Amino acid sequence: RRELIYLKEEKRRIENEASIKLQKMFRGLSCSMKYSLLSFSAVELQRVVRGFLAREKFIIDLANVILVQSVARRFTTKERAKQIRLLQNLASTTISSAWRGFVDRCNFAIMLSGFALLQATARGCDARKKVRRETVAATAIQRVYRGFMTYNSYILDCASIILCQAGARKWLAMKDAARRRHEKRLEAVTVIQSAWRRFLAESNFIIALSGCVLLQCFVRRYITSKQYKVQQRTRKNAASRIQSAFRSRLYFNRYIDSLIDIIRCQS
């Protein structure tokens, strides 16, 4: 927006300078015509002298006009060169800022994927530690239970020997103990299976979650790159339009200057 305001002010200044030049040339032309009429109405004896003086004055005025034109054209050329340098500096600044933003976004996406992988690794380690603790606890429980059952069997055997129980009671006690051992073993197997299935389910969930996170990273990166390309295309179109407008105005000013020179030569 500031660049457009600056270009408009520069355009207005150039038009004012062109109008001043046209007025100066028109006034000089009118003065020369008046001087010609006065010289033709003068006396025949003064014509030769005044003609000589008029030719000298015309040559001096023409040299002054040429000098003023060269100075003015040199000044306008310097101003145009300054404007071109300013536009080049602005374009380089815009390109460097866009490139740095793109590099920062790429680094941020890479860092985010690294964080996601680190989180997945840490969660897998926690799950494995939890399964190990549960396995150790189940083993301890089984060891205590088996010791208790062995001690109970020993007490029952000692009681059957000491009390001289009948064979029927001993057989029933052994059958009951065997049934209880079978039930406890089934319970232990059920606990172990549930813990193992839970571990497999958590592992599959963590793998699926890491895959979803990586897929989101790739999709967001693609969307960001596409938006950046659209912005770059829009900036290039705007820059080309501004340059075409400026060049057309420059060619028009050159055409006006050449037309003024032709009019001056004809006069």
Side-chain angles (χ1 to χ4, degrees), residues 1 4 22 47 52 157 174 214 224-226 234 245 265:
R1 194 172 183 181
L4 293 174
L22 288 172
R47 184 176 62 81
F52 176 74
D157 291 337
M174 290 175 67
L214 289 175
T224 305
S225 63
K226 191 172 182 181
T234 305
C265 293

Side-chain angles (χ1 to χ4, degrees), residues 22 39 43 74 104 117 124-125 144 149 156 164-165 179 231:
L22 288 172
S39 63
V43 185
R74 183 178 179 182
D104 292 335
L117 290 174
C125 183
V144 173
M149 293 301 295
L156 290 173
C164 297
Q165 292 177 348
R179 182 179 59 80
Q231 291 178 359

Side-chain angles (χ1 to χ4, degrees), residues 4-218:
L4 293 174
I5 293 171
Y6 179 76
L7 291 173
K8 287 181 180 179
E9 291 178 357
E10 192 66 21
K11 181 180 177 182
R12 192 181 297 112
R13 188 180 64 79
I14 293 169
E15 290 177 354
N16 290 329
E17 290 179 358
S19 63
I20 291 169
K21 288 181 182 179
L22 288 172
Q23 288 177 0
K24 184 167 60 178
M25 292 177 64
F26 181 77
R27 289 173 183 174
L29 181 63
S30 63
C31 291
S32 64
M33 290 176 69
K34 288 180 181 179
Y35 180 76
S36 298
L37 290 173
L38 290 173
S39 63
F40 279 114
S41 63
V43 185
E44 185 66 21
L45 293 174
Q46 295 176 352
R47 184 176 62 81
V48 177
V49 177
R50 290 182 179 179
F52 176 74
L53 294 174
R55 282 192 295 274
E56 287 185 349
K57 186 176 181 181
F58 177 74
I59 291 169
I60 293 169
D61 291 337
L62 184 62
N64 292 327
V65 170
I66 293 170
L67 181 63
V68 170
Q69 285 180 353
S70 64
V71 172
R73 288 175 181 174
R74 183 178 179 182
F75 177 74
T76 54
T77 305
K78 287 183 178 180
E79 291 295 327
R80 290 171 184 172
K82 287 181 181 179
Q83 292 176 4
I84 291 169
R85 283 196 294 272
L86 289 173
L87 291 174
Q88 289 177 353
N89 293 326
L90 182 61
S92 63
T93 304
T94 305
I95 292 168
S96 62
S97 64
W99 174 252
R100 289 173 183 171
F102 173 71
V103 171
D104 292 335
R105 286 191 292 273
C106 290
N107 292 328
F108 177 74
I110 293 168
M111 184 175 64
L112 188 62
S113 63
F115 285 156
L117 290 174
L118 183 62
Q119 286 180 356
T121 305
R123 289 174 181 172
C125 183
D126 291 336
R128 286 191 292 273
K129 287 181 180 179
K130 188 175 180 180
V131 171
R132 287 196 200 99
R133 287 196 296 269
E134 291 178 355
T135 305
V136 171
T139 305
I141 291 168
Q142 287 179 358
R143 184 175 64 250
V144 173
Y145 179 73
R146 287 172 183 173
F148 172 73
M149 293 301 295
T150 304
Y151 180 74
N152 194 10
S153 298
Y154 175 73
I155 293 298
L156 290 173
D157 291 337
C158 290
S160 63
I161 293 170
I162 292 169
L163 296 174
C164 297
Q165 292 177 348
R169 290 180 180 178
K170 187 177 180 180
W171 181 75
L172 290 173
M174 290 175 67
K175 187 177 179 180
D176 186 56
R179 182 179 59 80
R180 289 180 181 178
R181 280 196 299 270
H182 183 67
E183 290 177 356
K184 294 295 182 181
R185 286 176 182 174
L186 288 176
E187 291 178 359
V189 169
T190 303
V191 171
I192 292 169
Q193 286 180 354
S194 64
W196 176 251
R197 288 173 181 172
R198 182 179 179 183
F199 169 71
L200 290 177
E202 290 180 354
S203 300
N204 293 327
F205 175 73
I206 290 168
I207 292 168
L209 184 61
S210 63
C212 290
V213 172
L214 289 175
L215 183 61
Q216 286 179 355
C217 292
F218 287 125

